[in-house]
Amino acid sequence: MAYFQNIGKIAYEGKGSDNPLAFKHYNPKEVVLGKTMEEHLRFAVAYWHTFTGAGSDPFGVGTAVRGWDSANEMDQAKARVEANFEFLNKIGIPYFCFHDRDIAPEGATLAETNKNLDVIVDLMEENMKASGAKLLWNTANMFTNPRFVHGAGTTSNADVFAYAGAQLKKSLEVGKRLGAENYVFWGGREGYETLLNTDMALELDNLARLLHMAVAYSKEIGFGAQFLIEPKPKEPTKHQYDFDAATTIAFLQKYDLKEYFKLNLEANHATLAGHTFEHEIRVAAINGMLGSLDANQGDLLLGWDTDEFPTDLYSTTLTMYEVLKAGGIGKGGVNFDAKVRRGSFEDVDLFLAHIAGMDTYAWGLKAAAKLIEEKIIDNIVDNRYRSFKDGIGAEIVAGRATLQSLEQYAMQNNAIKNESGRLERIKLVLNEVIYSV
Ligand code: XUL
Ligand code: CO
């Protein structure tokens, strides 16, 4: 059955087009810096927002009425699978991502839940084979069910830890079956509210134990996906353990997990941590930890995760600049962890929102490529740090300087001269580049 009957395949029509159901910038086969846009961007649809979510918020139920809605949970789960593959084909997105609990309802027992999951995974496997659509990543939702009230890997209840391990095991098996290219760990409830009832050291040790078990089991079953941790600073818990890229890298290093993981960075999570998305990407990249991106945007006036579709060109330009400079996104991709606003409840809004996100990323990619080709930022940065190229700067970088040699130099250098950073001029140049592509 077709759920989007009035919508055909979305095509690239270019800048001159006034067709809202067409791309103006995303031209999948267009080559940018030696690779097609499709290869650079590796877009993915987030199943939970596009097929499971319906626009509910803390003050009201969902507003979207979907063709795949059904009173029977398993019928609805099957219909969502069909809608997913129809959508991927029409919008021209090669990948999708899901949590185990997005795709199939929980049963009364873990065994029943796994059985429901198997039915849907069978259906997905068939559809993947027929359509060629691929799984960028899957993950286990160990935060929605009330059993995870005190956490999963960081719970105070060993029975819940055991349940989480069992759920994770099944989720890794599903990933292997569907050929997931990555596997994500987002610790929704892995954090705490107050130290008054929390053993932080035990919780962190246990989280690392669970991750080591996941590494070991994946090896055992031959699941070759890249493991990714997705940092987020707050929401739902006050102190999320994977606060940001730097905190997460320190955790992985401490527990000898760094070689097995990279990071899945999300724009809105960066905002909540008080960082820009490009900051998070740079931190990951310089540590060899850039894995994948959850593309969305927050609202700087709001302090929570609004998961809006990315439409901010400055952000996508600087994001793609970081990705290109890091040598590309590798096995990762650009997953739209984004939801249509509650007021955008029509089916066509799902298409319009993804088109907006894809065009904004493609536009950002083109602008970033120009920044690189014309060495605009490289020249600024090279010039700014040129004092480290020779003389005392070169001695410092080579590791030959000592406090004594620095003192000797500083004592006879009485006229230190700094230069302007030229920030206002640089921002205008950035505007010009973005609007020129
Ligand atoms: C929550 C979030 C998750 C992860 C996967 O803020 O981003 O959807 O991407 O669990
Ligand atoms: Co996310």
Side-chain angles (χ1 to χ4, degrees):
M1 160 159 185
Y3 294 99
F4 307 105
Q5 273 172 12
N6 299 325
I7 297 169
K9 270 204 171 230
I10 308 299
Y12 169 72
E13 292 185 5
K15 276 198 212 174
S17 167
D18 60 2
N19 175 6
L21 287 169
F23 298 115
K24 316 294 185 297
H25 293 273
Y26 181 60
N27 183 6
K29 300 293 175 214
E30 184 177 327
V31 175
V32 177
L33 293 180
K35 275 201 304 195
T36 62
M37 284 195 176
E38 196 172 37
E39 288 164 342
H40 277 292
L41 293 164
R42 297 166 57 85
F43 286 128
V45 168
Y47 204 92
W48 53 102
H49 287 309
T50 294
F51 304 107
T52 313
S56 61
D57 72 11
F59 303 96
V61 297
T63 50
V65 178
R66 304 295 189 203
W68 50 91
D69 288 343
S70 164
N72 179 302
E73 284 191 312
M74 277 307 277
D75 286 348
Q76 186 172 24
K78 288 177 193 167
R80 280 185 182 128
V81 175
E82 284 183 42
N84 174 54
F85 288 95
E86 184 190 344
F87 185 81
L88 292 174
N89 174 45
K90 288 187 168 167
I91 193 85
I93 289 187
Y95 288 100
F96 65 112
C97 302
F98 63 78
H99 302 82
D100 48 3
R101 304 304 180 240
D102 306 329
I103 63 167
E106 293 199 51
T109 62
L110 180 58
E112 226 177 80
T113 300
N114 285 350
K115 220 187 266 175
N116 290 347
L117 203 49
D118 287 337
V119 172
I120 300 301
V121 169
D122 284 347
L123 197 58
M124 269 189 177
E125 199 175 28
E126 277 170 35
N127 275 275
M128 287 173 76
K129 273 193 190 130
S131 68
K134 293 171 283 186
L135 187 57
L136 185 66
W137 52 261
N138 65 314
T139 184
N141 175 336
M142 306 202 289
F143 44 88
T144 299
N145 191 290
R147 80 175 60 83
F148 299 116
V149 59
H150 300 306
T154 61
T155 174
S156 48
N157 181 346
D159 284 354
V160 174
F161 187 99
Y163 190 102
Q167 184 176 337
L168 176 54
K169 173 176 177 289
K170 179 71 181 173
S171 188
L172 295 169
E173 290 161 5
V174 166
K176 174 171 162 65
R177 240 189 98 187
L178 297 181
E181 296 186 21
N182 303 271
Y183 185 88
V184 163
F185 295 81
W186 172 60
R189 304 272 169 198
E190 314 297 21
Y192 71 95
E193 303 302 322
T194 169
L195 289 174
L196 296 174
N197 65 4
T198 300
D199 183 342
M200 188 197 278
L202 177 68
E203 291 200 358
L204 285 166
D205 287 353
N206 279 350
L207 181 58
R209 289 183 179 109
L210 190 66
L211 296 177
H212 272 293
M213 289 178 208
V215 169
Y217 189 63
S218 289
K219 264 193 198 150
E220 205 174 311
I221 63 173
F223 180 33
Q226 171 65 56
F227 277 5
L228 303 172
I229 299 222
E230 184 175 324
K232 184 176 183 181
K234 50 191 163 194
E235 199 202 73
T237 77
K238 183 155 62 176
H239 302 279
Q240 291 282 131
Y241 288 130
D242 297 326
F243 185 92
D244 61 0
T247 313
T248 306
I249 292 168
F251 168 86
L252 291 170
Q253 239 155 6
K254 174 178 175 186
Y255 290 101
D256 293 325
L257 284 160
K258 193 164 172 255
E259 65 184 291
Y260 308 111
F261 285 82
K262 286 189 161 68
L263 303 181
N264 182 40
L265 299 166
E266 178 165 325
N268 205 161
H269 296 181
T271 308
L272 295 178
H275 300 310
T276 60
F277 199 18
E278 56 272 20
H279 166 92
E280 289 292 86
I281 298 170
R282 180 72 65 95
V283 170
I286 64 177
N287 285 285
M289 299 290 280
L290 177 58
S292 196
L293 301 182
D294 268 9
N296 59 18
Q297 69 188 28
D299 186 323
L300 293 181
L301 301 182
L302 302 175
W304 64 92
D305 198 9
T306 56
D307 283 344
E308 296 169 27
F309 274 85
T311 51
D312 181 335
L313 274 177
Y314 293 93
S315 175
T316 59
T317 298
L318 297 178
T319 295
M320 289 315 298
Y321 183 79
E322 291 304 318
V323 169
L324 292 174
K325 284 298 234 181
I329 199 65
K331 283 181 82 171
V334 175
N335 169 46
F336 290 111
D337 191 352
K339 58 186 169 198
V340 287
R341 297 303 85 192
R342 193 162 183 267
S344 305
F345 48 78
E346 295 178 15
D347 287 354
V348 70
D349 289 309
L350 296 175
F351 283 86
L352 296 172
H354 282 85
I355 291 168
M358 293 161 82
D359 262 349
T360 307
Y361 259 85
W363 192 333
L365 169 65
K366 289 189 286 184
K370 184 166 176 175
L371 288 171
I372 289 175
E373 274 167 339
E374 298 185 5
K375 292 187 174 300
I376 294 171
I377 296 178
D378 278 341
N379 286 342
I380 291 167
V381 174
D382 283 353
N383 182 53
R384 187 157 181 249
Y385 292 89
R386 69 184 188 283
S387 64
F388 286 94
K389 293 270 158 51
D390 44 40
I392 191 69
E395 291 292 302
I396 293 167
V397 171
R400 283 193 296 266
T402 62
L403 291 185
Q404 293 94 316
S405 74
L406 293 180
E407 182 191 49
Q408 201 181 23
Y409 180 86
M411 284 290 194
Q412 35 86 28
N413 185 34
N414 288 321
I416 293 178
K417 195 169 160 279
N418 269 312
E419 288 175 7
S420 164
R422 295 271 188 273
L423 198 50
E424 297 76 10
R425 165 75 195 141
I426 294 168
K427 286 192 170 178
L428 184 61
V429 171
L430 180 59
N431 281 355
E432 284 165 359
V433 168
I434 291 172
Y435 288 104
S436 74
V437 295

